[in-house]
Amino acid sequence: MLKIFTDVLDPFLWGLFPIIRKFERKYKNFSYEFVMGGLIGNYEEFLPKNFRDKNSVGLGNQILFDMYRASGTITHMPGFEASPDLFTEDYKSSYPLDKYFISVEEMNKDLARDYMRKILEEAIVFQKNIFKLEVQKEILEGFGLDYDEFLFNYENSHDLFLQDRMEAFDYRIKKLPGFLITKNSRVLQNIMDFSRVEEFFLENLDLEERKENLSDEEKIMDYIRSYDLVLKDEIKIVFGGEKILEDLIRGGKVRIEKINSFEIVKII
């Protein structure tokens, strides 16, 4: 089993999804779970001392934007197109978002992984404030999950969140994301080259490749069909380059839809 120690707002998590999807598609026994390490206890911790006593919500969001922009140079996944509207005076920490994930995980462990991708899409691509419960309710309805059960789980999520954070501490995960192979307790962290993540998976997981008789074009088409939202940049990461994708576009098989500044690939 692979455990990924992360946080909903960890900018590297967004960049990890193409790799996760690539392995899900290629290997039939690839499995993983997220462990919430807790990234931002209070965004004001990142601010210069002379800003902490001021109304600094805008600066906190700008720093989050800068974190995503910096990580994007490593992951090649585009982040927020501008400073987001996430942190507010009511929500200064990423912990509520981590507890949202844990609350969904308690309801359905398998759906929780898709939920994680979805809330990041809502925040980054669609520019919604995923801290807000009305936004969460809309997302949960899309998964057919009960909102009242979610709220109950959230109100009682403290111990589970603490358990996740203690597990990160036990394995000396000091910088998110961190990766743990449970069978041999191998840990990878402090990643500056995302190709190392794939190498780590291949070195330590006993993966069984799916047998598929698909052309490169068919693999891309199948990939796009399998998910609600696929970015053009994601196709480049998973399949390498973009020549085949451009051929599919010219051949009238797929199209590019612009959502804010993001290029989304759709089957025609």
Side-chain angles (χ1 to χ4, degrees):
M1 167 66 78
L2 167 68
K3 290 192 175 187
I4 301 173
F5 294 84
T6 187
D7 174 282
V8 173
L9 290 185
D10 177 7
F12 286 100
L13 173 60
W14 174 239
L16 270 175
F17 271 102
I19 296 175
I20 289 172
R21 286 181 166 183
K22 179 179 180 178
F23 273 73
E24 283 177 330
R25 306 290 300 168
K26 191 170 183 179
Y27 302 102
K28 58 185 177 183
N29 62 332
F30 177 70
S31 63
Y32 66 96
E33 64 181 45
F34 293 120
V35 181
M36 296 295 98
L39 180 67
I40 304 171
N42 186 324
Y43 71 79
E44 292 180 345
E45 296 167 2
F46 295 105
L47 303 183
K49 289 183 179 180
N50 57 320
F51 281 92
R52 293 179 187 176
D53 296 330
K54 301 177 182 179
N55 185 352
S56 52
V57 168
L59 183 55
N61 282 310
Q62 179 63 38
I63 289 174
L64 183 64
F65 167 71
D66 290 340
M67 289 167 61
Y68 272 80
R69 184 170 55 182
S71 70
T73 63
I74 298 171
T75 67
H76 306 295
M77 274 284 274
F80 297 100
E81 68 173 0
S83 179
D85 182 22
L86 285 176
F87 292 129
T88 64
E89 287 302 316
D90 294 324
Y91 294 108
K92 295 185 176 184
S93 168
S94 64
Y95 294 178
L97 297 176
D98 291 348
K99 291 180 178 180
Y100 289 168
F101 170 78
I102 289 169
S103 301
V104 171
E105 191 175 41
E106 281 294 285
M107 298 165 75
N108 189 311
K109 204 171 186 71
D110 291 329
L111 280 182
R113 294 189 290 264
D114 294 331
Y115 163 85
M116 179 71 88
R117 165 80 187 212
K118 178 63 176 175
I119 59 175
L120 289 172
E121 290 172 354
E122 293 295 291
I124 296 169
V125 178
F126 295 98
Q127 302 177 358
K128 295 182 182 180
N129 190 332
I130 54 174
F131 280 102
K132 294 182 177 180
L133 286 173
E134 58 265 32
V135 174
Q136 288 296 319
K137 186 175 183 179
E138 179 183 331
I139 294 169
L140 292 167
E141 286 173 352
F143 284 103
L145 296 173
D146 184 78
Y147 179 66
D148 291 333
E149 184 180 354
F150 167 80
L151 286 181
F152 177 83
N153 288 349
Y154 176 69
E155 290 165 1
N156 294 278
S157 62
H158 175 76
D159 288 346
L160 290 173
F161 182 43
L162 181 60
Q163 182 178 308
D164 272 17
R165 297 187 71 202
M166 287 303 298
E167 186 174 2
F169 177 80
D170 289 342
Y171 284 100
R172 306 296 189 268
I173 306 294
K174 296 180 180 178
K175 185 177 180 181
L176 302 178
F179 303 89
L180 167 70
I181 308 296
T182 56
K183 73 171 184 177
N184 59 14
S185 297
R186 287 286 307 278
V187 170
L188 175 68
Q189 57 182 325
N190 298 322
I191 304 127
M192 294 306 293
D193 180 353
F194 254 41
S195 65
R196 179 62 190 130
V197 176
E198 295 191 44
E199 291 172 358
F200 182 75
F201 292 173
L202 293 171
E203 289 167 0
N204 293 282
L205 296 171
D206 298 320
L207 297 171
E208 186 177 352
E209 196 165 341
R210 299 179 191 275
K211 294 180 180 179
E212 294 180 320
N213 294 314
L214 299 176
S215 67
D216 290 340
E217 283 195 0
E218 289 169 333
K219 287 178 182 178
I220 292 177
M221 297 280 285
D222 187 54
Y223 184 94
I224 298 168
R225 289 191 194 98
S226 299
Y227 303 105
D228 290 336
L229 187 146
V230 173
L231 298 178
K232 182 179 179 181
D233 293 272
E234 188 175 349
I235 294 292
K236 290 190 286 185
I237 294 168
V238 173
F239 295 96
E242 55 183 305
K243 182 182 184 305
I244 298 173
L245 178 60
E246 295 299 337
D247 288 343
L248 288 170
I249 293 170
R250 283 193 294 270
K253 294 181 179 180
V254 302
R255 62 184 172 84
I256 300 296
E257 178 182 319
K258 266 293 194 74
I259 299 178
N260 295 317
S261 64
F262 294 88
E263 293 184 308
I264 311 301
V265 186
K266 299 280 188 181
I267 299 290
I268 294 177

Coordinates of all heavy atoms in Angstrom, one line a residue, residues 11 13 33 58 74 77 155 176 190 201 226 242 247:
P11 N 0.3 22.5 -2.6 CA 0.3 22.7 -4.1 C 0.9 21.6 -4.9 O 0.5 21.4 -6.0 CB 1.2 24.0 -4.3 CG 2.0 24.1 -3.0 CD 1.1 23.5 -1.9
L13 N 0.1 18.5 -4.2 CA -0.9 17.5 -4.4 C -1.6 17.7 -5.7 O -1.9 16.7 -6.4 CB -1.9 17.6 -3.2 CG -3.2 16.8 -3.3 CD1 -2.9 15.3 -3.4 CD2 -4.2 17.1 -2.2
E33 N -3.7 5.7 -0.5 CA -4.6 6.5 0.3 C -3.9 7.8 0.8 O -2.7 7.8 0.9 CB -5.1 5.7 1.5 CG -4.0 5.3 2.5 CD -4.6 4.5 3.7 OE1 -5.4 3.6 3.5 OE2 -4.2 4.8 4.9
G58 N -5.7 39.3 2.0 CA -5.3 39.4 0.6 C -3.9 38.9 0.5 O -3.6 38.2 -0.5
I74 N 7.7 22.7 -11.1 CA 8.2 21.4 -10.9 C 7.3 20.3 -11.4 O 7.6 19.3 -12.1 CB 8.5 21.1 -9.4 CG1 9.6 22.1 -8.9 CG2 8.9 19.7 -9.1 CD1 9.8 22.1 -7.4
M77 N 1.9 21.4 -13.7 CA 0.4 21.5 -13.7 C 0.1 23.0 -13.3 O 0.6 23.5 -12.3 CB -0.2 20.6 -12.6 CG -0.5 19.2 -13.1 SD -2.0 19.1 -14.2 CE -3.3 18.9 -12.9
E155 N -17.9 17.5 12.5 CA -17.9 17.9 13.8 C -17.2 17.0 14.8 O -16.8 17.4 15.9 CB -19.4 18.1 14.3 CG -20.1 19.3 13.6 CD -21.6 19.3 13.8 OE1 -22.1 18.3 14.4 OE2 -22.3 20.2 13.2
L176 N 5.6 18.3 3.2 CA 4.6 17.6 2.4 C 5.0 17.9 0.9 O 5.5 19.0 0.6 CB 3.3 18.1 2.7 CG 2.8 17.9 4.2 CD1 1.4 18.4 4.4 CD2 2.9 16.4 4.5
N190 N 10.7 15.6 0.3 CA 11.7 16.7 -0.2 C 11.9 16.5 -1.7 O 13.1 16.5 -2.1 CB 13.0 16.7 0.6 CG 12.8 17.0 2.0 OD1 12.0 17.8 2.4 ND2 13.5 16.3 2.9
F201 N 7.7 4.8 -7.0 CA 6.6 3.9 -7.0 C 7.1 2.6 -7.7 O 6.8 1.5 -7.2 CB 5.5 4.5 -7.9 CG 4.8 5.6 -7.2 CD1 3.8 6.4 -7.9 CD2 5.0 6.0 -5.9 CE1 3.2 7.4 -7.3 CE2 4.4 7.1 -5.3 CZ 3.5 7.8 -6.0
S226 N -12.6 8.8 -19.2 CA -12.7 8.1 -17.9 C -12.9 9.1 -16.8 O -13.1 8.8 -15.7 CB -11.4 7.3 -17.7 OG -11.3 6.3 -18.6
E242 N 2.6 16.6 -27.0 CA 1.3 16.9 -27.4 C 0.9 16.6 -28.8 O -0.1 17.0 -29.3 CB 0.9 18.3 -27.0 CG 1.8 19.4 -27.6 CD 1.4 20.8 -27.0 OE1 0.2 21.2 -27.2 OE2 2.3 21.4 -26.5
D247 N -3.1 16.0 -33.2 CA -3.6 15.2 -34.3 C -5.1 14.9 -34.0 O -5.9 15.0 -35.0 CB -2.9 13.9 -34.5 CG -1.5 14.2 -35.1 OD1 -1.2 15.3 -35.6 OD2 -0.6 13.3 -35.0

